[in-house]
């Protein structure tokens, strides 16, 4: 018994539209959370530290990834709205 497999068209998307930006925001948030918990433990064990320690860089880079991803989504949504496309 043969099973018919539906054909995939050239314009079909395999990833839902907002999944990629949401993944970047989630990844940046998790990176910030790791940096935050690591930094708290670092302050407990070592004490005061400098601005460019590794836990701080994790915290900063996670915030930057989330912020830039959010900014890109806002700019793309604004551009689509101004062109008259459905958002």
């Amino acid at each position: 018994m043969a099973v018919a497999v539906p054909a995939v068209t050239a314009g079909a998307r395999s990833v839902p539209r907002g999944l990629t930006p949401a993944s970047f925001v989630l990844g940046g948030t998790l990176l910030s959370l790791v940096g935050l918990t690591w930094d708290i433990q670092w302050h407990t064990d070592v004490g005061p530290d400098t601005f460019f320690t590794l836990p701080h860089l994790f915290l900063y880079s996670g915030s930057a990834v989330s912020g830039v991803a959010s900014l890109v989504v806002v700019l793309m949504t604004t551009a689509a709205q101004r062109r008259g496309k459905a958002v």
Side-chain angles (χ1 to χ4, degrees):
M1 181 168 169
V3 177
V5 178
V8 178
T9 60
R13 291 179 154 233
S14 61
V15 178
R17 187 174 180 145
L19 186 61
T20 302
S23 298
F24 274 100
V25 172
L26 179 63
T29 303
L30 291 175
L31 192 61
S32 291
L33 182 62
V34 167
L36 179 66
T37 55
W38 188 7
D39 188 47
I40 291 170
Q41 186 64 41
W42 184 282
H43 285 284
T44 302
D45 292 344
V46 177
D49 55 0
T50 63
F51 189 75
F52 290 111
T53 58
L54 198 55
H56 286 164
L57 294 178
F58 266 68
L59 185 60
Y60 306 147
S61 63
S63 300
V65 167
S66 294
V68 168
S70 298
L71 177 64
V72 166
V73 169
V74 167
L75 293 176
M76 287 175 61
T77 304
T78 302
Q81 179 73 27
R82 289 187 179 184
R83 284 192 307 259
K85 290 187 175 182
V87 178

